[in-house]
Amino acid sequence: VGAGITGLPALQGALTARGGAGLLGLAVAAAAPLGRRLARKVSPT
């Protein structure tokens, strides 16, 4: 469950980029590593 939650920004970024908003999709996907780091300190669930 935790991996799925922390993987959501990458998925949302890809879907956003595919929808035509490339820069916005890249910005959303770039949040994925930050989310993984924060998940080590605070439970994502």
Side-chain angles (χ1 to χ4, degrees), residues 3-43:
I5 291 172
T6 57
L8 279 176
L11 174 63
Q12 290 295 323
L15 292 173
T16 303
R18 184 175 180 218
L23 285 177
L24 180 60
L26 182 62
V28 172
L34 176 63
R36 279 188 224 112
R37 275 183 275 172
L38 289 174
R40 291 182 190 148
K41 296 182 185 251
V42 179
S43 176

